[in-house]
Amino acid sequence: RQMNRFANDPVYLWNGRRTAMHWDLPGLFGNICTGLAEASRVAPDVTSVGVDSWAVDYGLLRDGKLLGLPYNYRDARCALGADAVHETLPQERIHARNGLQFMAFNTMFQLAADKLEGLLDLADTALLVPDLIGYWLTGRTATERTNASTTGLLGVDGTWDTELESILGLPRGLFPELAEPGAELGAVLPDLADRVGFGTGLRVTTVASHDTASAVVAIPMDAASAAYVSCGTWALVGVELGAPVMSADARTANFTNEVGADGRIRFLRNVMGLWLLSESVRHWERDGSRVDLPVLLEQAAACPPPADVFDGDDPRFVEPGDIPGRITAWYDERGLPAPASRPEMARAIVESLAAGFARGVEQSAALTGVPVETVHLVGGGARNRLLCQLVANRVEKPVVAGPVEATAIGNVLLQARANGLLHGDLDDLRATMATTLPTERFEPRRAPAGRV
């Protein structure tokens, strides 16, 4: 049962030189506490809370106090940090140390941007977003491993790369010690527990705090023959492995090796996700009109597919703003016909996302040798039946859609196991999922349309 659902919009603050994008973490924490208070009324016997969030972003602290609102990973400063790092260390050497794909907003690049601004001179601790929430809940600090693996500072051996920190001139020991999913972080602080109505019995259990890592826990798949697409604002497309793939081909294809629950490796590629559609809707609604997304998607499904899909991973689409205008510009620059109406634009977006997902599935299979027979699509994208069908058409394999709330479910599964309510490894947890929640299967219908 959902206790509290709330928006997570960036805030824009003038910093003396420019307007920068930040996250309103105190506001989010207030909404979390509101949800806990509601949970205490509905289910007063709750004993465990688990925190997951998006990756890479963090708060800087000194003497336990937050120094400022954490930056949003879409802020323009990230490119400056990436350039500064690459002046010292080329990307191929970075990949050899951490196995990560290049994304300009990875934590190590953001820290380099902090260094340029002098912010690291003030901080003695950095906490990734879910670890910061955990700290505010319990007063205790740790860095959960799955999210640590997205920072760029965790070596492929699973330990903090202190040598890399030194090479880049970053403070040593900025992040706390690592914690595994399923550990107990601590009891909720007494005054906070009292305010939300739980008394002293509520504690925080670490989970796979990178939201994709929790989502993958809840996918009812056979990892030996399946690929997955965890589709929200971003889409993470890949397979689950027992060991990282460190080949030059994997680096060139911009695939990443991130840690999952139980030491599994999430070998995947970040692909632009539903951000393109949601930000387009936000842009269209700025004139005061309302866009009914289900109706828009029905209209899009009735449109013919575009002759050419666009590259959703083009960097121009990362920052907020006029996404439809940027898509039109992408087509115009190539002398191609651009979508002429909102339904046609929505169809082009969904077709382009499906093409990107299919490309990621095909590459992950080729780079790992996993014989992909089924693609599992979870997250908000599982609600988009047009998207699910188009992915099936393009990969020419069945797509199993659902669960939609895979991240929250994976979070709860790991808490349940840590507290003795469930037992076994990930395969056992997934077997439980397969018999508990419904999914929808999409069979491929036709040859894909649209070149890119």
Side-chain angles (χ1 to χ4, degrees), residues 148-373:
S149 73
T150 72
T151 64
L153 298 175
L154 195 71
V156 291
D157 64 352
T159 64
W160 289 118
D161 191 339
T162 55
E163 183 182 27
L164 179 59
E165 292 172 347
S166 296
I167 292 171
L168 300 180
L170 303 177
R172 282 198 173 195
L174 195 60
F175 288 97
E177 292 184 0
L178 295 165
E180 304 297 333
E184 182 175 330
L185 181 63
V188 173
L189 293 165
D191 58 338
L192 177 59
D194 184 63
R195 286 202 305 275
V196 299
F198 272 111
T200 59
L202 188 63
R203 61 186 182 272
V204 175
T205 301
T206 59
V207 295
S209 68
H210 182 355
D211 51 9
T212 306
S214 270
V216 171
V217 170
I219 299 175
M221 67 176 179
D222 177 359
S225 60
Y228 59 82
V229 180
S230 180
C231 179
T233 300
W234 288 91
L236 296 309
V237 184
V239 295
E240 185 178 81
L241 303 173
V245 176
M246 301 294 293
S247 66
D249 286 343
R251 176 177 58 80
T252 301
N254 215 27
F255 270 72
T256 198
N257 296 276
E258 295 176 0
V259 177
D262 292 5
R264 309 282 180 93
I265 297 297
R266 292 175 292 115
F267 182 74
L268 57 85
R269 188 175 185 275
N270 278 54
V271 179
M272 190 63 74
L274 295 175
W275 162 261
L276 290 173
L277 194 57
S278 61
E279 188 64 12
S280 293
V281 169
R282 274 191 288 269
H283 174 75
W284 288 326
E285 290 184 334
R286 283 175 186 147
D287 64 1
S289 62
R290 181 179 179 276
V291 177
D292 188 317
L293 185 56
V295 171
L296 178 64
L297 289 173
E298 287 181 9
Q299 295 169 339
C303 292
D308 300 272
V309 296
F310 64 88
D311 179 9
D313 293 332
D314 190 303
R316 77 183 73 194
F317 302 128
V318 172
E319 294 186 20
D322 182 5
I323 296 296
R326 295 175 201 168
I327 292 172
T328 298
W330 189 96
Y331 280 101
D332 289 345
E333 289 165 8
R334 291 157 179 80
L336 301 173
S341 66
R342 290 181 180 180
E344 288 179 2
M345 181 65 71
R347 179 63 184 252
I349 289 172
V350 176
E351 289 275 3
S352 300
L353 292 180
F357 297 175
R359 197 160 52 245
V361 168
E362 292 164 1
Q363 287 177 309
S364 61
L367 291 167
T368 63
V370 172
V372 174
E373 298 174 2

Side-chain angles (χ1 to χ4, degrees), residues 419-439:
N419 287 275
L421 301 177
L422 292 174
H423 303 278
D425 61 12
L426 289 190
D427 296 329
D428 296 314
L429 297 182
R430 288 168 179 156
T432 299
M433 282 298 306
T435 59
T436 303
L437 292 178
T439 57

